[in-house]
């Protein structure tokens, strides 16, 4: 297992993980038709743009064969909330590699970057029905916010797991 900073050449692997993990994680939450329509080329272009411009801290996990099997991304909090500074935007791992420590190691890499950026606290948003919410609770996250989002034409609830001191999450990693 190897965790490293993402580079532009990783966009195909990241896009593949993004789509496949959405299809397994959100099955039963988002419509099957929507999940099957996710487009690899569109996701690839999105991640190429993200790596060039938006995400300040994106890391990938590789298996023993050098294949990308997960990614995590973070940076400044995206809604300009005056009380929250850092945000983990995404943590996705192919289903067959989950529960092996990849998520913890990738989040740890992102958190260290956010600390270097001098972010004092943290939020991670997740769909309320996402089975990974237990993972964020196990990392010491407390639900500090809730909002309604529209995805695939339906309204869903997102919960924000927060850490008042960003360094507190490191105690659980």
């Amino acid at each position: 297992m190897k965790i490293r900073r993402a580079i532009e050449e990783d966009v195909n692997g990241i896009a593949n993980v993004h789509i496949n993990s959405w299809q397994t994680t959100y099955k039963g939450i988002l419509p099957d038709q929507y999940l099957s329509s996710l487009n690899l080329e569109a996701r690839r272009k999105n991640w190429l743009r993200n790596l060039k411009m938006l995400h300040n801290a994106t890391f990938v996990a590789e298996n023993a064969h050098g294949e990308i099997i997960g990614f995590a991304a973070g940076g400044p909090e995206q809604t300009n909330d005056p009380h929250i500074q850092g945000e983990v935007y995404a943590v996705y791992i192919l289903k067959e590699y989950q529960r092996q420590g990849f998520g913890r190691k990738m989040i740890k890499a992102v958190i260290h970057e956010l600390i270097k950026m001098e972010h004092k606290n943290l939020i991670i948003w997740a769909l309320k029905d996402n089975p990974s919410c237990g993972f964020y609770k196990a990392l010491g996250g407390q639900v500090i916010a809730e909002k309604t989002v529209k995805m695939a034409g339906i309204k869903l609830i997102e919960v924000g797991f927060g850490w008042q001191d960003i360094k507190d999450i490191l105690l659980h990693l």
Side-chain angles (χ1 to χ4, degrees), residues 3-169:
I3 308 296
R4 63 171 175 78
R5 186 177 294 279
I7 57 174
E8 287 182 27
E9 288 78 13
D10 295 329
V11 295
N12 288 336
I14 293 171
N16 180 58
V17 168
H18 204 164
I19 289 173
N20 282 304
S21 59
W22 269 51
Q23 289 172 338
T24 56
T25 301
Y26 300 133
K27 186 167 183 58
I29 299 172
L30 292 172
D32 289 342
Q33 181 181 353
Y34 173 78
L35 292 173
S36 64
S37 75
L38 294 173
N39 180 287
L40 186 63
E41 183 59 24
R43 197 62 56 142
R44 194 189 74 71
K45 286 179 181 176
N46 183 56
W47 275 104
L48 185 60
R49 179 182 52 86
N50 288 347
L51 288 175
K52 285 182 176 180
M53 300 186 312
L54 300 177
H55 294 159
N56 296 321
T58 303
F59 291 85
V60 294
E62 294 179 333
N63 65 14
H65 305 289
E67 300 163 327
I68 294 173
I69 53 88
F71 71 91
E77 190 276 335
Q78 298 180 92
T79 67
N80 298 315
D81 184 312
H83 306 292
I84 303 170
Q85 296 176 343
E87 181 173 347
V88 173
Y89 307 139
V91 181
Y92 291 108
I93 303 162
L94 294 176
K95 187 172 185 164
E96 59 268 30
Y97 291 95
Q98 292 176 5
R99 301 191 182 281
Q100 296 179 35
F102 289 106
R104 288 178 183 273
K105 290 183 181 191
M106 287 189 301
I107 285 182
K108 187 174 187 177
V110 171
I111 297 304
H112 281 298
E113 288 299 310
L114 296 179
I115 290 170
K116 285 181 193 174
M117 294 174 203
E118 301 184 357
H119 295 307
K120 305 292 185 217
N121 53 30
L122 175 70
I123 194 163
I124 301 175
W125 288 98
L127 290 177
K128 190 173 187 174
D129 294 333
N130 182 337
S132 297
C133 287
F135 173 68
Y136 303 126
K137 289 177 187 173
L139 296 179
Q142 302 290 317
V143 175
I144 60 167
E146 192 172 288
K147 64 183 176 182
T148 302
V149 295
K150 193 169 186 179
M151 297 175 79
I154 59 174
K155 288 183 180 179
L156 299 165
I157 303 294
E158 270 190 335
V159 290
F161 292 90
W163 290 261
Q164 196 62 24
D165 182 339
I166 195 169
K167 293 177 182 172
D168 287 348
I169 194 172

